[in-house]
Amino acid sequence: MDIIDQRVIGCLLSDGRATYAQIGDQVGLSAPAAKRRVDRLRASGAIRGFTAVVDPAALGWTAEAYVEVYCRGTVAPHELRQSLEQVPEVVGACTVTGSADALLHMLAKDNRHLEAAIERVRDEPNVDHTESVIVLSRLFDRR
Amino acid sequence: MDIIDQRVIGCLLSDGRATYAQIGDQVGLSAPAAKRRVDRLRASGAIRGFTAVVDPAALGWTAEAYVEVYCRGTVAPHELRQSLEQVPEVVGACTVTGSADALLHMLAKDNRHLEAAIERVRDEPNVDHTESVIVLSRLFDRR
DNA sequence: GTTGAAAAGTGAACTCG
DNA sequence: CGAGTTCACTTTTCAAC
């Protein structure tokens, strides 16, 4: 992982469908050399994959929330992961400092759908109660 | 935006570098037809672009936090956006319900770097104080 | 890094409801 | 006409050197 690898990653972050020739131009390599870098970065796990950046609103998903999860007793992180992965509206989850056990990022079609999804989170075993913060407007997203 | 468009998007979410022939196979179209769908979805804004999914840890970014921002007086959302975009460690920002004005998602190399970045957020005009939740471990991320 | 065969991308002409 | 297909032609991929 040198400076060129980082610039290769930079190219692919800004355009995940860039051709190897384009990447090579940007970092000063031939197309096959650029491909070998990308292959190596994928094999090493630095690049997990490629994806489209989709506007959730265009798909009719306009509701978004961050939900703190409080558990009963002690729960192992991997157990919590298994539980929370059952709810497709949970797009991200992490354990955090503070009194909550986990913080979830959730997306849904509307507030009604969001409420139903949070209900499902609360119904998971181990989950005692939740505390939600609804997103009013997304200011920006650099990911 | 019909059912086929949604399946095309599904293909590209799981593999942003899928060929048009692969997409076509999955949704029952020829490669040129699949390409026209993708072009149309890009033009309409439903697909904003394509990107690599990078493991932040592989780049040495291991610290992550969610930071609630409390402002002085009333601040227009676009003003807040301009302020917060100045800090590169802020990878996402939104306005939220509750007593905080905004919730930030931040990434940094380590806790020391994270602290310095939060300091810079606090130094932005309009920002009164912040309240941070440090991420202990990411359970999963579906984006 | 260079080369060349195989694969994918891409526009045009054409067909169907 | 909008949306699909096939076909020709260019560009890209990718393995061998």
Side-chain angles (χ1 to χ4, degrees):
Chain A
M1 169 67 64
D2 59 6
I3 185 74
I4 295 182
D5 280 334
Q6 302 212 359
R7 291 178 57 200
V8 168
I9 289 175
C11 290
L12 287 170
L13 282 174
S14 61
D15 179 7
R17 281 180 87 91
T19 67
Y20 295 117
Q22 286 174 323
I23 298 165
D25 275 353
Q26 296 245 334
V27 305
L29 291 175
S30 65
K35 179 189 189 303
R36 282 195 284 261
R37 292 265 180 177
V38 174
D39 287 345
R40 201 158 50 75
L41 287 166
R42 296 192 70 164
S44 75
I47 295 177
R48 289 210 201 115
F50 297 93
T51 189
V53 182
V54 173
D55 181 3
L59 285 154
W61 289 56
T62 59
E64 187 176 1
Y66 288 92
V67 178
E68 289 184 314
V69 175
Y70 295 80
C71 292
R72 269 185 288 275
T74 318
V75 179
H78 83 273
E79 228 175 315
L80 201 52
R81 184 181 61 73
Q82 284 189 324
S83 255
L84 296 169
E85 261 187 331
Q86 305 306 313
V87 184
E89 289 84 356
V90 178
V91 296
C94 49
T95 57
V96 291
T97 58
S99 47
D101 292 293
L103 180 64
L104 313 185
H105 184 197
M106 298 184 67
L107 287 180
K109 287 194 242 295
D110 50 38
N111 280 346
R112 190 181 152 68
H113 177 199
L114 187 58
E115 186 178 22
I118 294 173
E119 190 86 25
R120 250 177 303 140
V121 169
R122 276 205 299 264
D123 285 348
E124 286 296 321
N126 311 319
V127 174
D128 183 53
H129 68 283
T130 62
E131 217 172 296
S132 306
V133 173
I134 307 291
V135 172
L136 295 173
S137 80
R138 185 147 279 280
L139 298 171
F140 63 89
D141 199 343
R142 273 202 257 261
R143 307 197 56 195
Chain B
M1 170 66 64
D2 59 7
I3 186 73
I4 296 182
D5 280 334
Q6 304 213 0
R7 291 178 58 199
V8 168
I9 288 175
C11 291
L12 288 171
L13 282 174
S14 61
D15 179 7
R17 280 180 88 90
T19 67
Y20 294 118
Q22 286 174 323
I23 299 166
D25 274 353
Q26 295 245 335
V27 306
L29 290 175
S30 65
K35 180 192 187 312
R36 293 217 311 224
R37 292 265 179 176
V38 174
D39 286 346
R40 200 156 51 76
L41 287 166
R42 297 191 68 164
S44 75
I47 294 177
R48 289 208 202 115
F50 297 92
T51 189
V53 181
V54 173
D55 180 4
L59 286 154
W61 288 56
T62 60
E64 187 175 0
Y66 288 91
V67 178
E68 288 185 314
V69 174
Y70 296 80
C71 293
R72 270 185 286 276
T74 319
V75 179
H78 84 272
E79 228 175 314
L80 201 51
R81 184 182 61 73
Q82 283 190 325
S83 256
L84 295 169
E85 258 185 334
Q86 304 306 313
V87 184
E89 289 85 356
V90 178
V91 296
C94 49
T95 56
V96 290
T97 58
S99 47
D101 291 294
L103 179 64
L104 313 184
H105 184 197
M106 297 184 68
L107 287 181
K109 286 194 242 294
D110 51 35
N111 279 346
R112 190 182 150 69
H113 178 199
L114 186 59
E115 186 177 20
I118 294 173
E119 190 88 24
R120 249 176 303 141
V121 169
R122 276 206 299 264
D123 285 349
E124 286 295 321
N126 311 320
V127 174
D128 183 52
H129 68 282
T130 62
E131 217 172 295
S132 306
V133 174
I134 308 290
V135 171
L136 295 173
S137 79
R138 185 146 281 280
L139 298 172
F140 64 89
D141 198 343
R142 273 201 258 260
R143 310 192 55 197

